[in-house]
Structures are given as structure tokens and as C-alpha cells.
Amino acid sequence: MRVLIVGAGPAGLTLALCLARRGVPVRIVERAGALNTGGYVVSLQANGWDVADRLGLLPALRRTALPAADSVYREGATGREVFRYRADVVHDLTGGKMLHVPRDGLVRLLAQALTEAGHEGPRFGCEVTGIHDGPEGVAVRFSDGTSGTFDLVVGADGTHSKVRALAFGPEKTVLRPLGYRGAAWRMPFSGRLDPPYEGYMEVGRQTILYQSGPQELSTLLCWRSDDLAPVLPGDRHREVSRAYDGTWPVLRRLIDGPVDWDGAYLDSLCQIEMPRWSCGRVVLVGDAAWSLSFLSGQGASMAMAGAFLLADALARPSIGEALAAFEARLRPTITTVQRQARAMARSYVPRSRAGLWLNRILLPLLMSRPLLKLRARQLVAKSLIPPAS
């Protein structure tokens, strides 16, 4: 079986690693010129943890992970503490299966493991320009003028998937906006956060800061917006500055500081909703298929789980049977996580000062140990990864 994987993120690299270790010939192409070193800190729990464990990556990921520590949320205008998110409570609720890792660290580890499995790695600076599913296989044209024929083409190329557009139709038919925009970057930082995770809530926007290294700070910003237009790298600083006009002075200095806006993440928060993730011998996985958004807290974990389960299903006699089994196994969980993320989106950022005041009262209760135990299934999807035989 000849497999083409489009996209070298967590989903694409996890799938490639699983298949390579089974001796399946895989080609990976990635539109970017190198592995993506931007993005934000991602959580691996339950599904993501179990995939990393099955792949033998947990020891290295533990060394890469940010230290477990409490998170403090404050009012943006005053710095007043609203509530404290207890790390030990989250640890207990996940059975100890929780890691916060920089996305680029996760991607690098997957790429390294793929090289160690004897694979040559992704072909960078190359994207798919044409797909035709014919009797001899899926004929694919590439941006460098070359072409190839494959038994299976996997789109793991993100929320704005080119494979999905070519094989399934326009993005607008499957895009479900959540009403927010988000931005994230890492930057030099000579200070110290104590605790190393801080959140700031304001009317219409929310900010999370991570001490991601001794001299490094990671940011995750989210603000209410219905604008879906893409923002070019040269316009990102202006867009964030506009959205955070009048914010607290510390964040203002960070926005105007030494930020690599070319490498920063900035996009509208959306979900992808599709009646099917496969069409003939073309299948989607990860954000290309379902895009949970960072509001779910499970995007990377479910991308890795989807890739693992797809590789597992491909051991079946026919590709059609494999793709049907993959979707039947995963779709109920994805549907549930998407629904929960939409519920979270409705109140993630307060719309008014009254909403901000209500959050000050409700959030400490919702994040208390008794209520977190009741909500555990809503926060972390049950693992779908079977134990090693």
C-alpha cells in the first residue's frame, strides 16, 4: 500500500510514525519550508498520553513538558485574583495522565522518532495542487511540478486543509465559527511568573501567559470576533493591537515587544463539521477533519488519537473497510468533544462587566475539587487507545 500524508503536524507525523513502524511505505509533504516552530503549549491527556506511551515517547515528552503548577486567573484591569486552578486536582482527575508541552517540542520529537524508524522525513515546501481518484489509485499533482499515484491520500494539513478543498469542496460549507479569534507566540522574557501560569480576564478578551523557559514567555490570547478573513503576517501586530486596545499595561508591553509575527499563530477559532471524513481513497484526520480549536483543550490529543486509530484500521483487508471502521470508532467521541467546546465558547470570554462579575463568583465554584470531579468527563475524553498486546 502506498500512502501519501499531507501535513507534518501532530496528526500527520503520528500517522507516518505508526505506519513506518509497520513497514508501510509513506510519503509526507508539508507546505511550509520547515517544521512549524510556532504555536502554543498543548495539553496531552488520556488519548494523547496513551498514544505517546504506545509510541515510546513519554520519557522524552516528560523532559520537554512544562512543570506542573497552579494557574492563577486575574482581572485584567486590576490584577485581582479571581480563582486558582489547582494542579494537584487536575492531576488526580486525569489519573496522572496530563502533560503540557510546547507544540513545536511535540512535533520535533515525532519527526525525530520517524527518522529513527528509517523514514527520510517530510518533503518541505511542497503542497498538493490536484487530486484525482481513479481506477489505478489517487493521482496527485504537486506544486513543484511532479506527480504520483497512491493507494491512499491522507489530509492532515490543518483547519484550512488544501486536501479537503480539492477532494470535498469549499471550506465555507464545513466551517463552523465559534465567535473568537486567537493568537499565540513565544518571546524572550527576563522576568519570572509566579506561579508560572497566569490568566487575565477582561470584557471581550482573555489572556494566558506561560513561563515556558528560564528566559522565555509563551502567550495565548483570545478575543470575541466574527471576522473570518485571514490575517497576513505583516498585519498580525496591528490586528492584535486593535483587539487589545486599552488592555493592562503589562500585556501592552508584551504585544509591542520582540515578537516574531511571521512565526506567531493568529486565526479565527472554528470547528470543521463534515458528514464523512473520507471520499473514495482520500481521508482526513486531525484539524482537517474536525478542528476542535484550543477551547476544547484536546486538539493535539485527539489529532494523535485519530492518526493512531487510522493506522490501526488500515491493517484491515480493504481500504474502504478500514476507513469505515476508523470513522465509526472515532466519530462519537469527536462529536461529543465538539459539542462541549461549543458550550465552553458561549461563556469563555465575558461579554460585559456583569458577565465578568458573574465569572468572579462562579469560576471558583466550578474549579473546586468536588465540581471538577463531576465535570471530569466533560474536560477530558475517555481514551480510545487500546493497551499494547
Side-chain angles (χ1 to χ4, degrees), residues 82-114:
V82 177
F83 72 96
R84 186 172 290 254
Y85 197 57
R86 294 276 303 278
D88 60 335
V89 174
V90 177
H91 181 275
D92 292 346
L93 291 177
T94 59
K97 293 183 176 182
M98 172 70 79
L99 287 176
H100 298 293
V101 298
R103 184 186 182 279
D104 67 311
L106 170 62
V107 167
R108 285 194 179 102
L109 281 173
L110 287 166
Q112 179 183 340
L114 187 59

Side-chain angles (χ1 to χ4, degrees), residues 51-81:
V51 172
D53 190 22
R54 289 289 304 271
L55 296 177
L57 300 180
L58 271 182
L61 283 170
R62 284 195 175 103
R63 292 191 294 271
T64 305
L66 276 62
D70 291 355
S71 303
V72 172
Y73 280 74
R74 307 179 188 276
E75 282 187 357
T78 65
R80 172 186 173 186
E81 183 173 328

Side-chain angles (χ1 to χ4, degrees), residues 134-181:
E136 301 302 319
V138 187
V140 180
R141 297 192 308 273
F142 298 102
S143 56
D144 61 3
T146 62
S147 61
T149 302
F150 304 88
D151 298 302
L152 181 68
V153 172
V154 182
D157 49 340
T159 304
H160 306 296
S161 168
K162 183 69 173 292
V163 172
R164 189 183 64 232
L166 289 170
F168 295 83
E171 179 177 287
K172 64 181 181 181
T173 63
V174 296
L175 196 71
R176 180 164 185 163
L178 296 177
Y180 295 95
R181 272 196 157 156

Side-chain angles (χ1 to χ4, degrees), residues 277 292 330-340 342:
W277 297 331
L292 302 176
L330 190 58
R331 182 173 284 277
T333 297
I334 293 297
T335 299
T336 298
V337 175
Q338 284 188 323
R339 183 176 66 248
Q340 292 164 351
R342 291 195 296 272

